[in-house]
Structures are given as structure tokens and as C-alpha cells.
PDB file of all heavy atoms in Angstrom:
ATOM      1  N   THR A  11     -28.138 -54.957  -9.851  1.00 66.00           N
ATOM      2  CA  THR A  11     -29.079 -53.892 -10.202  1.00 66.00           C
ATOM      3  C   THR A  11     -29.009 -53.610 -11.692  1.00 66.00           C
ATOM      4  O   THR A  11     -27.930 -53.532 -12.268  1.00 66.00           O
ATOM      5  CB  THR A  11     -28.731 -52.618  -9.416  1.00 66.00           C
ATOM      6  OG1 THR A  11     -28.757 -52.931  -8.030  1.00 66.00           O
ATOM      7  CG2 THR A  11     -29.718 -51.533  -9.704  1.00 66.00           C
ATOM      8  N   LYS A  12     -30.166 -53.453 -12.303  1.00 67.00           N
ATOM      9  CA  LYS A  12     -30.233 -53.162 -13.733  1.00 67.00           C
ATOM     10  C   LYS A  12     -29.985 -51.688 -14.011  1.00 67.00           C
ATOM     11  O   LYS A  12     -30.237 -50.834 -13.176  1.00 67.00           O
ATOM     12  CB  LYS A  12     -31.608 -53.540 -14.278  1.00 67.00           C
ATOM     13  CG  LYS A  12     -31.876 -55.013 -14.319  1.00 67.00           C
ATOM     14  CD  LYS A  12     -33.200 -55.252 -15.001  1.00 67.00           C
ATOM     15  CE  LYS A  12     -33.457 -56.727 -15.179  1.00 67.00           C
ATOM     16  NZ  LYS A  12     -34.700 -56.961 -15.913  1.00 67.00           N
ATOM     17  N   SER A  13     -29.529 -51.406 -15.226  1.00 70.00           N
ATOM     18  CA  SER A  13     -29.403 -50.027 -15.688  1.00 70.00           C
ATOM     19  C   SER A  13     -30.794 -49.402 -15.714  1.00 70.00           C
ATOM     20  O   SER A  13     -31.761 -50.051 -16.108  1.00 70.00           O
ATOM     21  CB  SER A  13     -28.813 -50.019 -17.092  1.00 70.00           C
ATOM     22  OG  SER A  13     -29.009 -48.773 -17.704  1.00 70.00           O
ATOM     23  N   PRO A  14     -30.920 -48.126 -15.307  1.00 72.00           N
ATOM     24  CA  PRO A  14     -32.248 -47.508 -15.261  1.00 72.00           C
ATOM     25  C   PRO A  14     -32.823 -47.115 -16.613  1.00 72.00           C
ATOM     26  O   PRO A  14     -33.958 -46.660 -16.687  1.00 72.00           O
ATOM     27  CB  PRO A  14     -32.033 -46.274 -14.392  1.00 72.00           C
ATOM     28  CG  PRO A  14     -30.602 -45.928 -14.578  1.00 72.00           C
ATOM     29  CD  PRO A  14     -29.894 -47.249 -14.768  1.00 72.00           C
ATOM     30  N   GLY A  15     -32.073 -47.315 -17.701  1.00 75.00           N
ATOM     31  CA  GLY A  15     -32.565 -46.920 -19.017  1.00 75.00           C
ATOM     32  C   GLY A  15     -33.939 -47.474 -19.358  1.00 75.00           C
ATOM     33  O   GLY A  15     -34.833 -46.724 -19.763  1.00 75.00           O
ATOM     34  N   PRO A  16     -34.170 -48.796 -19.199  1.00 84.00           N
ATOM     35  CA  PRO A  16     -35.495 -49.343 -19.505  1.00 84.00           C
ATOM     36  C   PRO A  16     -36.603 -48.776 -18.620  1.00 84.00           C
ATOM     37  O   PRO A  16     -37.761 -48.686 -19.035  1.00 84.00           O
ATOM     38  CB  PRO A  16     -35.333 -50.846 -19.261  1.00 84.00           C
ATOM     39  CG  PRO A  16     -33.863 -51.100 -19.418  1.00 84.00           C
ATOM     40  CD  PRO A  16     -33.195 -49.855 -18.909  1.00 84.00           C
ATOM     41  N   LEU A  17     -36.260 -48.377 -17.407  1.00 88.00           N
ATOM     42  CA  LEU A  17     -37.257 -47.790 -16.521  1.00 88.00           C
ATOM     43  C   LEU A  17     -37.787 -46.484 -17.096  1.00 88.00           C
ATOM     44  O   LEU A  17     -38.978 -46.193 -16.991  1.00 88.00           O
ATOM     45  CB  LEU A  17     -36.677 -47.561 -15.120  1.00 88.00           C
ATOM     46  CG  LEU A  17     -37.622 -46.926 -14.108  1.00 88.00           C
ATOM     47  CD1 LEU A  17     -38.891 -47.764 -13.926  1.00 88.00           C
ATOM     48  CD2 LEU A  17     -36.915 -46.723 -12.777  1.00 88.00           C
ATOM     49  N   ALA A  18     -36.929 -45.709 -17.728  1.00 86.00           N
ATOM     50  CA  ALA A  18     -37.373 -44.461 -18.348  1.00 86.00           C
ATOM     51  C   ALA A  18     -38.472 -44.751 -19.369  1.00 86.00           C
ATOM     52  O   ALA A  18     -39.460 -44.022 -19.452  1.00 86.00           O
ATOM     53  CB  ALA A  18     -36.196 -43.743 -19.004  1.00 86.00           C
ATOM     54  N   GLY A  19     -38.304 -45.840 -20.118  1.00 87.00           N
ATOM     55  CA  GLY A  19     -39.339 -46.235 -21.075  1.00 87.00           C
ATOM     56  C   GLY A  19     -40.634 -46.614 -20.396  1.00 87.00           C
ATOM     57  O   GLY A  19     -41.719 -46.236 -20.836  1.00 87.00           O
ATOM     58  N   LYS A  20     -40.535 -47.369 -19.288  1.00 88.00           N
ATOM     59  CA  LYS A  20     -41.736 -47.743 -18.531  1.00 88.00           C
ATOM     60  C   LYS A  20     -42.452 -46.514 -17.991  1.00 88.00           C
ATOM     61  O   LYS A  20     -43.675 -46.488 -17.908  1.00 88.00           O
ATOM     62  CB  LYS A  20     -41.369 -48.650 -17.353  1.00 88.00           C
ATOM     63  CG  LYS A  20     -41.004 -50.046 -17.718  1.00 88.00           C
ATOM     64  CD  LYS A  20     -40.735 -50.842 -16.448  1.00 88.00           C
ATOM     65  CE  LYS A  20     -40.383 -52.268 -16.749  1.00 88.00           C
ATOM     66  NZ  LYS A  20     -40.210 -53.057 -15.519  1.00 88.00           N
ATOM     67  N   LEU A  21     -41.676 -45.520 -17.609  1.00 87.00           N
ATOM     68  CA  LEU A  21     -42.248 -44.294 -17.078  1.00 87.00           C
ATOM     69  C   LEU A  21     -42.803 -43.402 -18.170  1.00 87.00           C
ATOM     70  O   LEU A  21     -43.547 -42.458 -17.904  1.00 87.00           O
ATOM     71  CB  LEU A  21     -41.192 -43.515 -16.276  1.00 87.00           C
ATOM     72  CG  LEU A  21     -40.667 -44.197 -15.018  1.00 87.00           C
ATOM     73  CD1 LEU A  21     -39.504 -43.413 -14.436  1.00 87.00           C
ATOM     74  CD2 LEU A  21     -41.770 -44.376 -13.994  1.00 87.00           C
ATOM     75  N   GLY A  22     -42.397 -43.675 -19.416  1.00 87.00           N
ATOM     76  CA  GLY A  22     -42.850 -42.859 -20.539  1.00 87.00           C
ATOM     77  C   GLY A  22     -42.230 -41.481 -20.550  1.00 87.00           C
ATOM     78  O   GLY A  22     -42.871 -40.505 -20.929  1.00 87.00           O
ATOM     79  N   HIS A  23     -40.968 -41.411 -20.113  1.00 86.00           N
ATOM     80  CA  HIS A  23     -40.304 -40.112 -20.021  1.00 86.00           C
ATOM     81  C   HIS A  23     -38.865 -40.229 -20.521  1.00 86.00           C
ATOM     82  O   HIS A  23     -38.154 -41.153 -20.154  1.00 86.00           O
ATOM     83  CB  HIS A  23     -40.302 -39.630 -18.566  1.00 86.00           C
ATOM     84  CG  HIS A  23     -39.712 -38.273 -18.394  1.00 86.00           C
ATOM     85  ND1 HIS A  23     -40.383 -37.120 -18.759  1.00 86.00           N
ATOM     86  CD2 HIS A  23     -38.511 -37.877 -17.923  1.00 86.00           C
ATOM     87  CE1 HIS A  23     -39.619 -36.084 -18.498  1.00 86.00           C
ATOM     88  NE2 HIS A  23     -38.473 -36.512 -17.999  1.00 86.00           N
ATOM     89  N   ASP A  24     -38.464 -39.302 -21.367  1.00 87.00           N
ATOM     90  CA  ASP A  24     -37.070 -39.209 -21.794  1.00 87.00           C
ATOM     91  C   ASP A  24     -36.378 -38.213 -20.877  1.00 87.00           C
ATOM     92  O   ASP A  24     -36.755 -37.039 -20.835  1.00 87.00           O
ATOM     93  CB  ASP A  24     -36.970 -38.727 -23.249  1.00 87.00           C
ATOM     94  CG  ASP A  24     -37.475 -39.755 -24.231  1.00 87.00           C
ATOM     95  OD1 ASP A  24     -37.259 -40.958 -23.992  1.00 87.00           O
ATOM     96  OD2 ASP A  24     -38.085 -39.359 -25.235  1.00 87.00           O
ATOM     97  N   PHE A  25     -35.375 -38.673 -20.158  1.00 87.00           N
ATOM     98  CA  PHE A  25     -34.663 -37.824 -19.211  1.00 87.00           C
ATOM     99  C   PHE A  25     -33.577 -37.048 -19.931  1.00 87.00           C
ATOM    100  O   PHE A  25     -32.737 -37.634 -20.610  1.00 87.00           O
ATOM    101  CB  PHE A  25     -34.047 -38.675 -18.097  1.00 87.00           C
ATOM    102  CG  PHE A  25     -35.072 -39.205 -17.133  1.00 87.00           C
ATOM    103  CD1 PHE A  25     -35.791 -40.350 -17.428  1.00 87.00           C
ATOM    104  CD2 PHE A  25     -35.340 -38.539 -15.951  1.00 87.00           C
ATOM    105  CE1 PHE A  25     -36.752 -40.831 -16.553  1.00 87.00           C
ATOM    106  CE2 PHE A  25     -36.297 -39.002 -15.074  1.00 87.00           C
ATOM    107  CZ  PHE A  25     -37.001 -40.159 -15.370  1.00 87.00           C
ATOM    108  N   ASP A  26     -33.605 -35.730 -19.804  1.00 90.00           N
ATOM    109  CA  ASP A  26     -32.545 -34.900 -20.366  1.00 90.00           C
ATOM    110  C   ASP A  26     -31.216 -35.218 -19.690  1.00 90.00           C
ATOM    111  O   ASP A  26     -30.166 -35.148 -20.317  1.00 90.00           O
ATOM    112  CB  ASP A  26     -32.854 -33.411 -20.193  1.00 90.00           C
ATOM    113  CG  ASP A  26     -34.012 -32.949 -21.064  1.00 90.00           C
ATOM    114  OD1 ASP A  26     -34.257 -33.573 -22.115  1.00 90.00           O
ATOM    115  OD2 ASP A  26     -34.669 -31.965 -20.689  1.00 90.00           O
ATOM    116  N   ASP A  27     -31.286 -35.539 -18.410  1.00 90.00           N
ATOM    117  CA  ASP A  27     -30.099 -35.871 -17.631  1.00 90.00           C
ATOM    118  C   ASP A  27     -30.323 -37.224 -16.960  1.00 90.00           C
ATOM    119  O   ASP A  27     -30.855 -37.294 -15.843  1.00 90.00           O
ATOM    120  CB  ASP A  27     -29.838 -34.791 -16.576  1.00 90.00           C
ATOM    121  CG  ASP A  27     -28.547 -35.004 -15.807  1.00 90.00           C
ATOM    122  OD1 ASP A  27     -27.893 -36.046 -16.007  1.00 90.00           O
ATOM    123  OD2 ASP A  27     -28.207 -34.134 -14.997  1.00 90.00           O
ATOM    124  N   PRO A  28     -29.952 -38.327 -17.635  1.00 87.00           N
ATOM    125  CA  PRO A  28     -30.159 -39.665 -17.082  1.00 87.00           C
ATOM    126  C   PRO A  28     -29.483 -39.868 -15.719  1.00 87.00           C
ATOM    127  O   PRO A  28     -29.906 -40.711 -14.941  1.00 87.00           O
ATOM    128  CB  PRO A  28     -29.552 -40.599 -18.129  1.00 87.00           C
ATOM    129  CG  PRO A  28     -29.538 -39.818 -19.387  1.00 87.00           C
ATOM    130  CD  PRO A  28     -29.357 -38.382 -18.978  1.00 87.00           C
ATOM    131  N   ALA A  29     -28.470 -39.066 -15.427  1.00 89.00           N
ATOM    132  CA  ALA A  29     -27.809 -39.170 -14.124  1.00 89.00           C
ATOM    133  C   ALA A  29     -28.773 -38.829 -12.989  1.00 89.00           C
ATOM    134  O   ALA A  29     -28.645 -39.364 -11.878  1.00 89.00           O
ATOM    135  CB  ALA A  29     -26.587 -38.264 -14.067  1.00 89.00           C
ATOM    136  N   LEU A  30     -29.760 -37.973 -13.258  1.00 89.00           N
ATOM    137  CA  LEU A  30     -30.763 -37.662 -12.230  1.00 89.00           C
ATOM    138  C   LEU A  30     -31.642 -38.866 -11.922  1.00 89.00           C
ATOM    139  O   LEU A  30     -32.003 -39.092 -10.769  1.00 89.00           O
ATOM    140  CB  LEU A  30     -31.624 -36.480 -12.656  1.00 89.00           C
ATOM    141  CG  LEU A  30     -30.989 -35.107 -12.527  1.00 89.00           C
ATOM    142  CD1 LEU A  30     -31.930 -34.036 -13.082  1.00 89.00           C
ATOM    143  CD2 LEU A  30     -30.623 -34.801 -11.089  1.00 89.00           C
ATOM    144  N   LEU A  31     -31.976 -39.647 -12.938  1.00 90.00           N
ATOM    145  CA  LEU A  31     -32.745 -40.866 -12.706  1.00 90.00           C
ATOM    146  C   LEU A  31     -31.919 -41.824 -11.860  1.00 90.00           C
ATOM    147  O   LEU A  31     -32.419 -42.406 -10.900  1.00 90.00           O
ATOM    148  CB  LEU A  31     -33.165 -41.520 -14.018  1.00 90.00           C
ATOM    149  CG  LEU A  31     -33.889 -42.857 -13.891  1.00 90.00           C
ATOM    150  CD1 LEU A  31     -35.159 -42.724 -13.042  1.00 90.00           C
ATOM    151  CD2 LEU A  31     -34.214 -43.417 -15.269  1.00 90.00           C
ATOM    152  N   GLN A  32     -30.649 -41.972 -12.196  1.00 91.00           N
ATOM    153  CA  GLN A  32     -29.774 -42.845 -11.417  1.00 91.00           C
ATOM    154  C   GLN A  32     -29.693 -42.365  -9.969  1.00 91.00           C
ATOM    155  O   GLN A  32     -29.772 -43.165  -9.034  1.00 91.00           O
ATOM    156  CB  GLN A  32     -28.372 -42.891 -12.038  1.00 91.00           C
ATOM    157  CG  GLN A  32     -27.443 -43.863 -11.348  1.00 91.00           C
ATOM    158  CD  GLN A  32     -27.917 -45.291 -11.491  1.00 91.00           C
ATOM    159  OE1 GLN A  32     -28.140 -45.771 -12.595  1.00 91.00           O
ATOM    160  NE2 GLN A  32     -28.099 -45.975 -10.383  1.00 91.00           N
ATOM    161  N   GLN A  33     -29.555 -41.076  -9.771  1.00 93.00           N
ATOM    162  CA  GLN A  33     -29.489 -40.522  -8.420  1.00 93.00           C
ATOM    163  C   GLN A  33     -30.803 -40.756  -7.672  1.00 93.00           C
ATOM    164  O   GLN A  33     -30.792 -41.087  -6.485  1.00 93.00           O
ATOM    165  CB  GLN A  33     -29.176 -39.033  -8.473  1.00 93.00           C
ATOM    166  CG  GLN A  33     -29.000 -38.406  -7.100  1.00 93.00           C
ATOM    167  CD  GLN A  33     -28.654 -36.925  -7.183  1.00 93.00           C
ATOM    168  OE1 GLN A  33     -28.425 -36.386  -8.257  1.00 93.00           O
ATOM    169  NE2 GLN A  33     -28.625 -36.276  -6.036  1.00 93.00           N
ATOM    170  N   ALA A  34     -31.917 -40.608  -8.365  1.00 92.00           N
ATOM    171  CA  ALA A  34     -33.225 -40.805  -7.739  1.00 92.00           C
ATOM    172  C   ALA A  34     -33.420 -42.246  -7.278  1.00 92.00           C
ATOM    173  O   ALA A  34     -34.182 -42.507  -6.355  1.00 92.00           O
ATOM    174  CB  ALA A  34     -34.332 -40.415  -8.714  1.00 92.00           C
ATOM    175  N   LEU A  35     -32.704 -43.167  -7.892  1.00 92.00           N
ATOM    176  CA  LEU A  35     -32.813 -44.583  -7.557  1.00 92.00           C
ATOM    177  C   LEU A  35     -31.746 -45.043  -6.568  1.00 92.00           C
ATOM    178  O   LEU A  35     -31.658 -46.227  -6.255  1.00 92.00           O
ATOM    179  CB  LEU A  35     -32.721 -45.414  -8.838  1.00 92.00           C
ATOM    180  CG  LEU A  35     -33.863 -45.207  -9.829  1.00 92.00           C
ATOM    181  CD1 LEU A  35     -33.509 -45.800 -11.181  1.00 92.00           C
ATOM    182  CD2 LEU A  35     -35.160 -45.772  -9.285  1.00 92.00           C
ATOM    183  N   THR A  36     -30.944 -44.119  -6.070  1.00 93.00           N
ATOM    184  CA  THR A  36     -29.837 -44.461  -5.181  1.00 93.00           C
ATOM    185  C   THR A  36     -30.172 -44.121  -3.732  1.00 93.00           C
ATOM    186  O   THR A  36     -30.388 -42.963  -3.389  1.00 93.00           O
ATOM    187  CB  THR A  36     -28.553 -43.720  -5.615  1.00 93.00           C
ATOM    188  OG1 THR A  36     -28.266 -44.073  -6.977  1.00 93.00           O
ATOM    189  CG2 THR A  36     -27.376 -44.104  -4.736  1.00 93.00           C
ATOM    190  N   HIS A  37     -30.214 -45.144  -2.905  1.00 92.00           N
ATOM    191  CA  HIS A  37     -30.474 -44.987  -1.470  1.00 92.00           C
ATOM    192  C   HIS A  37     -29.243 -44.397  -0.800  1.00 92.00           C
ATOM    193  O   HIS A  37     -28.115 -44.608  -1.254  1.00 92.00           O
ATOM    194  CB  HIS A  37     -30.810 -46.360  -0.875  1.00 92.00           C
ATOM    195  CG  HIS A  37     -31.265 -46.315   0.540  1.00 92.00           C
ATOM    196  ND1 HIS A  37     -30.408 -46.518   1.583  1.00 92.00           N
ATOM    197  CD2 HIS A  37     -32.490 -46.095   1.067  1.00 92.00           C
ATOM    198  CE1 HIS A  37     -31.090 -46.435   2.717  1.00 92.00           C
ATOM    199  NE2 HIS A  37     -32.364 -46.182   2.426  1.00 92.00           N
ATOM    200  N   ARG A  38     -29.433 -43.687   0.302  1.00 91.00           N
ATOM    201  CA  ARG A  38     -28.304 -43.041   0.978  1.00 91.00           C
ATOM    202  C   ARG A  38     -27.266 -44.040   1.460  1.00 91.00           C
ATOM    203  O   ARG A  38     -26.102 -43.693   1.629  1.00 91.00           O
ATOM    204  CB  ARG A  38     -28.783 -42.160   2.115  1.00 91.00           C
ATOM    205  CG  ARG A  38     -29.336 -42.922   3.288  1.00 91.00           C
ATOM    206  CD  ARG A  38     -29.744 -41.984   4.374  1.00 91.00           C
ATOM    207  NE  ARG A  38     -30.377 -42.737   5.437  1.00 91.00           N
ATOM    208  CZ  ARG A  38     -30.822 -42.208   6.528  1.00 91.00           C
ATOM    209  NH1 ARG A  38     -30.724 -40.922   6.733  1.00 91.00           N
ATOM    210  NH2 ARG A  38     -31.385 -42.953   7.443  1.00 91.00           N
ATOM    211  N   SER A  39     -27.659 -45.297   1.659  1.00 92.00           N
ATOM    212  CA  SER A  39     -26.711 -46.315   2.093  1.00 92.00           C
ATOM    213  C   SER A  39     -25.707 -46.668   0.993  1.00 92.00           C
ATOM    214  O   SER A  39     -24.687 -47.289   1.265  1.00 92.00           O
ATOM    215  CB  SER A  39     -27.448 -47.588   2.521  1.00 92.00           C
ATOM    216  OG  SER A  39     -28.135 -48.175   1.421  1.00 92.00           O
ATOM    217  N   ALA A  40     -25.998 -46.257  -0.249  1.00 91.00           N
ATOM    218  CA  ALA A  40     -25.139 -46.597  -1.386  1.00 91.00           C
ATOM    219  C   ALA A  40     -24.145 -45.499  -1.735  1.00 91.00           C
ATOM    220  O   ALA A  40     -23.315 -45.684  -2.612  1.00 91.00           O
ATOM    221  CB  ALA A  40     -25.984 -46.918  -2.613  1.00 91.00           C
ATOM    222  N   GLY A  41     -24.225 -44.354  -1.071  1.00 84.00           N
ATOM    223  CA  GLY A  41     -23.249 -43.314  -1.377  1.00 84.00           C
ATOM    224  C   GLY A  41     -23.770 -41.915  -1.137  1.00 84.00           C
ATOM    225  O   GLY A  41     -24.944 -41.709  -0.830  1.00 84.00           O
ATOM    226  N   SER A  42     -22.879 -40.960  -1.317  1.00 88.00           N
ATOM    227  CA  SER A  42     -23.228 -39.567  -1.022  1.00 88.00           C
ATOM    228  C   SER A  42     -24.103 -38.930  -2.103  1.00 88.00           C
ATOM    229  O   SER A  42     -24.839 -37.986  -1.830  1.00 88.00           O
ATOM    230  CB  SER A  42     -21.964 -38.732  -0.815  1.00 88.00           C
ATOM    231  OG  SER A  42     -21.177 -38.749  -1.984  1.00 88.00           O
ATOM    232  N   SER A  43     -24.022 -39.429  -3.327  1.00 90.00           N
ATOM    233  CA  SER A  43     -24.901 -38.919  -4.385  1.00 90.00           C
ATOM    234  C   SER A  43     -26.162 -39.780  -4.383  1.00 90.00           C
ATOM    235  O   SER A  43     -26.297 -40.723  -5.152  1.00 90.00           O
ATOM    236  CB  SER A  43     -24.195 -38.993  -5.745  1.00 90.00           C
ATOM    237  OG  SER A  43     -25.054 -38.505  -6.754  1.00 90.00           O
ATOM    238  N   ASN A  44     -27.087 -39.434  -3.470  1.00 91.00           N
ATOM    239  CA  ASN A  44     -28.265 -40.269  -3.281  1.00 91.00           C
ATOM    240  C   ASN A  44     -29.545 -39.476  -3.504  1.00 91.00           C
ATOM    241  O   ASN A  44     -29.522 -38.308  -3.862  1.00 91.00           O
ATOM    242  CB  ASN A  44     -28.237 -40.913  -1.890  1.00 91.00           C
ATOM    243  CG  ASN A  44     -28.222 -39.887  -0.775  1.00 91.00           C
ATOM    244  OD1 ASN A  44     -29.134 -39.077  -0.659  1.00 91.00           O
ATOM    245  ND2 ASN A  44     -27.185 -39.904   0.047  1.00 91.00           N
ATOM    246  N   ASN A  45     -30.657 -40.133  -3.230  1.00 92.00           N
ATOM    247  CA  ASN A  45     -31.962 -39.589  -3.597  1.00 92.00           C
ATOM    248  C   ASN A  45     -32.625 -38.703  -2.552  1.00 92.00           C
ATOM    249  O   ASN A  45     -33.730 -38.229  -2.775  1.00 92.00           O
ATOM    250  CB  ASN A  45     -32.911 -40.734  -3.937  1.00 92.00           C
ATOM    251  CG  ASN A  45     -33.218 -41.625  -2.752  1.00 92.00           C
ATOM    252  OD1 ASN A  45     -32.731 -41.416  -1.637  1.00 92.00           O
ATOM    253  ND2 ASN A  45     -34.009 -42.647  -2.985  1.00 92.00           N
ATOM    254  N   GLU A  46     -31.997 -38.441  -1.421  1.00 93.00           N
ATOM    255  CA  GLU A  46     -32.704 -37.741  -0.352  1.00 93.00           C
ATOM    256  C   GLU A  46     -33.212 -36.357  -0.755  1.00 93.00           C
ATOM    257  O   GLU A  46     -34.365 -36.022  -0.509  1.00 93.00           O
ATOM    258  CB  GLU A  46     -31.848 -37.661   0.909  1.00 93.00           C
ATOM    259  CG  GLU A  46     -31.782 -39.003   1.609  1.00 93.00           C
ATOM    260  CD  GLU A  46     -31.174 -38.924   2.978  1.00 93.00           C
ATOM    261  OE1 GLU A  46     -30.372 -37.999   3.242  1.00 93.00           O
ATOM    262  OE2 GLU A  46     -31.500 -39.791   3.789  1.00 93.00           O
ATOM    263  N   ARG A  47     -32.387 -35.543  -1.359  1.00 94.00           N
ATOM    264  CA  ARG A  47     -32.837 -34.207  -1.761  1.00 94.00           C
ATOM    265  C   ARG A  47     -33.874 -34.291  -2.878  1.00 94.00           C
ATOM    266  O   ARG A  47     -34.856 -33.557  -2.884  1.00 94.00           O
ATOM    267  CB  ARG A  47     -31.654 -33.342  -2.182  1.00 94.00           C
ATOM    268  CG  ARG A  47     -30.809 -32.878  -0.986  1.00 94.00           C
ATOM    269  CD  ARG A  47     -29.641 -31.999  -1.398  1.00 94.00           C
ATOM    270  NE  ARG A  47     -29.963 -30.896  -2.274  1.00 94.00           N
ATOM    271  CZ  ARG A  47     -30.423 -29.697  -1.886  1.00 94.00           C
ATOM    272  NH1 ARG A  47     -30.616 -29.444  -0.616  1.00 94.00           N
ATOM    273  NH2 ARG A  47     -30.682 -28.754  -2.762  1.00 94.00           N
ATOM    274  N   LEU A  48     -33.671 -35.219  -3.815  1.00 93.00           N
ATOM    275  CA  LEU A  48     -34.655 -35.392  -4.887  1.00 93.00           C
ATOM    276  C   LEU A  48     -35.978 -35.914  -4.329  1.00 93.00           C
ATOM    277  O   LEU A  48     -37.054 -35.542  -4.812  1.00 93.00           O
ATOM    278  CB  LEU A  48     -34.127 -36.356  -5.949  1.00 93.00           C
ATOM    279  CG  LEU A  48     -32.986 -35.832  -6.816  1.00 93.00           C
ATOM    280  CD1 LEU A  48     -32.427 -36.938  -7.696  1.00 93.00           C
ATOM    281  CD2 LEU A  48     -33.435 -34.649  -7.654  1.00 93.00           C
ATOM    282  N   GLU A  49     -35.904 -36.769  -3.312  1.00 92.00           N
ATOM    283  CA  GLU A  49     -37.119 -37.281  -2.684  1.00 92.00           C
ATOM    284  C   GLU A  49     -37.908 -36.143  -2.035  1.00 92.00           C
ATOM    285  O   GLU A  49     -39.133 -36.069  -2.154  1.00 92.00           O
ATOM    286  CB  GLU A  49     -36.767 -38.335  -1.642  1.00 92.00           C
ATOM    287  CG  GLU A  49     -37.966 -38.978  -0.997  1.00 92.00           C
ATOM    288  CD  GLU A  49     -37.599 -40.062  -0.006  1.00 92.00           C
ATOM    289  OE1 GLU A  49     -36.400 -40.345   0.195  1.00 92.00           O
ATOM    290  OE2 GLU A  49     -38.532 -40.624   0.589  1.00 92.00           O
ATOM    291  N   PHE A  50     -37.208 -35.245  -1.385  1.00 94.00           N
ATOM    292  CA  PHE A  50     -37.841 -34.071  -0.771  1.00 94.00           C
ATOM    293  C   PHE A  50     -38.587 -33.260  -1.828  1.00 94.00           C
ATOM    294  O   PHE A  50     -39.756 -32.902  -1.671  1.00 94.00           O
ATOM    295  CB  PHE A  50     -36.768 -33.218  -0.075  1.00 94.00           C
ATOM    296  CG  PHE A  50     -37.250 -31.892   0.411  1.00 94.00           C
ATOM    297  CD1 PHE A  50     -38.027 -31.787   1.549  1.00 94.00           C
ATOM    298  CD2 PHE A  50     -36.926 -30.731  -0.274  1.00 94.00           C
ATOM    299  CE1 PHE A  50     -38.482 -30.553   2.000  1.00 94.00           C
ATOM    300  CE2 PHE A  50     -37.362 -29.491   0.170  1.00 94.00           C
ATOM    301  CZ  PHE A  50     -38.143 -29.410   1.308  1.00 94.00           C
TER     302      PHE A  50
END
């Protein structure tokens, strides 16, 4: 899996908290800090 940094550029958004982008890209099968609440 690639670092999400380049994705921020594709999205045209600078994330104040890049960890949120990483969490948004994390499926629940990959760990407890996943995207389910952010998806909601």
C-alpha cells in the first residue's frame, strides 16, 4: 500500500491531520483504528 500523501494532492486538499486520511483509508479488517466512524 502506498503512503496516502500523494492522494491528498489528487484530492486537492491539504489535511491538517494526515492521520485522519490514513484512518479513512483503513478497513476494519486492518485494525481498530479504522474508517467505520468516519464513513458514517
Side-chain angles (χ1 to χ4, degrees):
T11 303
K12 291 186 175 184
S13 164
L17 179 58
K20 286 183 179 184
L21 296 172
H23 183 75
D24 291 324
F25 287 83
D26 290 334
D27 185 354
L30 283 176
L31 176 58
Q32 185 65 54
Q33 184 179 353
L35 295 166
T36 302
H37 187 264
R38 70 178 175 179
S39 64
S42 61
S43 180
N44 60 60
N45 65 0
E46 286 191 334
R47 286 181 50 84
L48 289 172
E49 183 178 359
F50 171 76

